[in-house]
Amino acid sequence: RVDSHTVTFDIRGGATQQLQDGTIAPFPPQGFSGFGQVAGVRVACLTAEVQSLHHLGYDPDEKDHHDMGLLADRFGIDLPAPYQR
């Protein structure tokens, strides 16, 4: 499954995303150095670390816990609270 988010890039290579509640979520430039595969084709994506940081600031549901567990298992990242197992 592909999860797309519209962001606005700055001159340093970072970006921001306006969230549904009107707040702005920052993305550091190094967060855009990830790669994945869709149907066997290599595609650019966020790093696992930045994906995990963008799962903070709200009450996670079962799907969020599932997704974070997959990130941790696949990429060996430490999960932030409240996702720690």
Side-chain angles (χ1 to χ4, degrees), residues 1 5 11-12 20 30 37 40 50 55 72 75 85:
R1 187 178 82 189
H5 296 263
I11 60 173
R12 295 174 291 122
Q20 290 177 346
Q30 67 273 19
Q37 287 192 7
V50 169
H55 275 82
F75 296 101
R85 310 185 245 178

Side-chain angles (χ1 to χ4, degrees), residues 64-78:
D64 294 310
H65 283 279
H66 176 262
D67 291 348
M68 291 291 281
L70 292 175
L71 279 176
D73 292 345
R74 173 65 176 89
F75 296 101
I77 63 170
D78 292 328

Side-chain angles (χ1 to χ4, degrees), residues 2-60:
V2 176
D3 189 6
S4 298
H5 296 263
T6 302
V7 299
T8 301
F9 284 93
D10 62 33
I11 60 173
R12 295 174 291 122
T16 57
Q17 174 190 8
Q18 185 171 359
L19 303 178
Q20 290 177 346
D21 66 2
T23 60
I24 301 296
F27 291 83
Q30 67 273 19
F32 293 96
S33 63
F35 286 93
Q37 287 192 7
V38 175
V41 176
R42 183 178 159 131
V43 295
C45 64
L46 291 174
T47 63
E49 292 81 8
V50 169
Q51 289 182 47
S52 72
L53 292 176
H54 280 268
H55 275 82
L56 299 174
Y58 61 91
D59 291 327

